[in-house]
Amino acid sequence: MLWIKTLHILCVMAWLAGVFYLPRIFVNFAEAKAAGEPVARLAGMGFRLFRFATILMAFAILFGSILWLGYGVSGRWLHWKLVFVLLLLVYHFVCGRMALRMRAGDLPGSPLFFRVFNEISVLIVFVILVFAVVKPV
């Protein structure tokens, strides 16, 4: 099970790299578009990053599910952690929808909006880590 846990942590780390960086691409896209600069490369980068992060997300869920089956339900902390993991999944797919709109050249929102939007994932991940490490309930 330690190998599965290692793979789970690795995939989660790689997935989160995409989740944290994709909104930064949205910020750069919004700034470049407002300045009249070309944005096609950013749109392509964002879409490819979303696809790659989605693959890593799938592996993180797979390995996490194997861990869950192997260790069983070990407390309410796990239920709460999974609630916030679901929120992170929603955030991920909202980013995917934005990446598709960006690829089409139509991504509404200001750079400030996307900077604030970027911080939502950090807050969700912080709560997940508290439940996974501290296990407060």
Side-chain angles (χ1 to χ4, degrees):
M1 279 305 215
L2 291 178
W3 285 106
I4 298 297
K5 187 183 273 188
T6 301
L7 290 171
H8 174 65
I9 292 169
L10 178 66
C11 290
V12 167
M13 287 172 34
W15 171 37
L16 289 179
V19 167
F20 292 155
Y21 189 62
L22 185 56
R24 277 304 307 169
I25 293 176
F26 298 155
V27 170
N28 293 336
F29 181 89
E31 288 176 344
K33 192 168 183 181
E37 299 171 4
V39 294
R41 179 170 290 203
L42 287 169
M45 284 174 50
F47 183 74
R48 287 188 301 275
L49 178 61
F50 173 73
R51 276 192 327 207
F52 184 68
T54 301
I55 292 167
L56 293 164
M57 175 204 68
F59 279 112
I61 291 171
L62 172 70
F63 294 130
S65 298
I66 293 169
L67 287 171
W68 190 12
L69 292 173
Y71 289 121
V73 177
S74 57
R76 284 191 357 220
W77 69 269
L78 183 59
H79 296 113
W80 282 106
K81 176 190 165 197
L82 292 175
V83 166
F84 284 92
V85 169
L86 286 174
L87 282 174
L88 191 61
L89 288 169
V90 169
Y91 180 88
H92 174 84
F93 286 109
V94 167
C95 284
R97 189 154 169 78
M98 289 179 178
L100 285 172
R101 291 189 73 177
M102 183 174 63
R103 189 175 182 201
D106 176 41
L107 182 64
S110 69
L112 177 61
F113 169 79
F114 291 115
R115 281 188 177 90
V116 172
F117 179 75
N118 188 36
E119 302 308 319
I120 294 170
S121 62
V122 175
L123 295 174
I124 295 170
V125 170
F126 175 76
V127 173
I128 291 170
L129 285 172
V130 167
F131 282 115
V133 176
V134 178
K135 297 177 177 71
V137 291

